[in-house]
């Protein structure tokens, strides 16, 4: 990834589908002087995503796309990103799978946060799986996005201990707290 020294912040889009706590955290991070990125666009596949409120709160452009016709939608997103001069994408709880073609166009410039110690537990219900399997550790991973779900190269990973009597709700809370530290750290690692 190109070095940023002495250059403007990289215009970034965040894709969300839900609560948007990672989005909010990334927006706050983007505002500090040392952040390599600025958040200039929020994209969602649903107008029900609670995190969309941060677009209004922080005065960031938001766009909602219906992903039923994925080819058309991705074309629209690509042209929007070109118009807005977006060069980096952070997926943060985005529940749609982007096509190979789309990912190729942003090769090495799309990253995602996943609530497990990848390659363990790709996909959904990661905390439930970790508890059911009586794992000793859980965690989160920031990785590059490739055409294969949750399989791109790891940028950073954080491991945490699963305590006695842990349930998937308490674990999710603990992991999410770590996600909020890990995502900015991974972005710094990429660009600095
Ligand atoms: C996070 O656990 C993230 O790792 C996963 O989806 C969740 C999104 O949470 N991909 P939020 O919407 O950022 O609060």
């Amino acid at each position: 990834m190109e070095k940023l020294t002495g250059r403007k912040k990289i215009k970034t889009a965040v894709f969300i589908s839900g609560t948007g706590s990672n989005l909010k955290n990334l927006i706050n991070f983007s505002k500090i002087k040392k952040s390599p990125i600025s958040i200039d666009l929020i994209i969602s596949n649903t107008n029900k995503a609670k995190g969309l409120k941060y677009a209004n709160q922080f005065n960031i452009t938001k766009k909602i796309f219906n992903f039923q016709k994925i080819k058309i939608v991705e074309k629209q997103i690509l042209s929007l990103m070109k118009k807005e001069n977006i060069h980096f994408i952070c997926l943060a709880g985005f529940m749609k799978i982007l096509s190979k073609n789309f990912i190729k166009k942003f090769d090495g410039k799309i990253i995602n946060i996943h609530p497990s110690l990848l390659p363990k537990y790709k996909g959904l219900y990661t905390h439930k799986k970790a508890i059911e399997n009586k794992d000793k550790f859980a965690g989160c991973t920031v990785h590059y996005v490739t055409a294969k779900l949750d399989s791109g190269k790891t940028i950073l990973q954080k491991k945490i201990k699963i305590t006695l009597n842990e349930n998937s709700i308490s674990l999710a809370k603990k992991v999410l707290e770590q996600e909020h530290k890990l995502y900015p750290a991974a972005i710094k690692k990429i660009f600095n």
Side-chain angles (χ1 to χ4, degrees), residues 92-108:
F94 183 62
M95 300 302 280
K96 292 284 170 186
I97 294 175
L98 297 164
S99 76
K100 223 182 203 168
N101 184 47
F102 184 94
I103 293 166
K104 221 165 100 190
K105 295 237 163 65
F106 264 77
D107 197 22

Side-chain angles (χ1 to χ4, degrees), residues 18-23 92-93 112-115 176 179:
T19 318
S21 71
N22 277 290
L23 165 66
N112 179 43
I113 188 151
H114 184 76
L176 195 61
E179 289 184 34

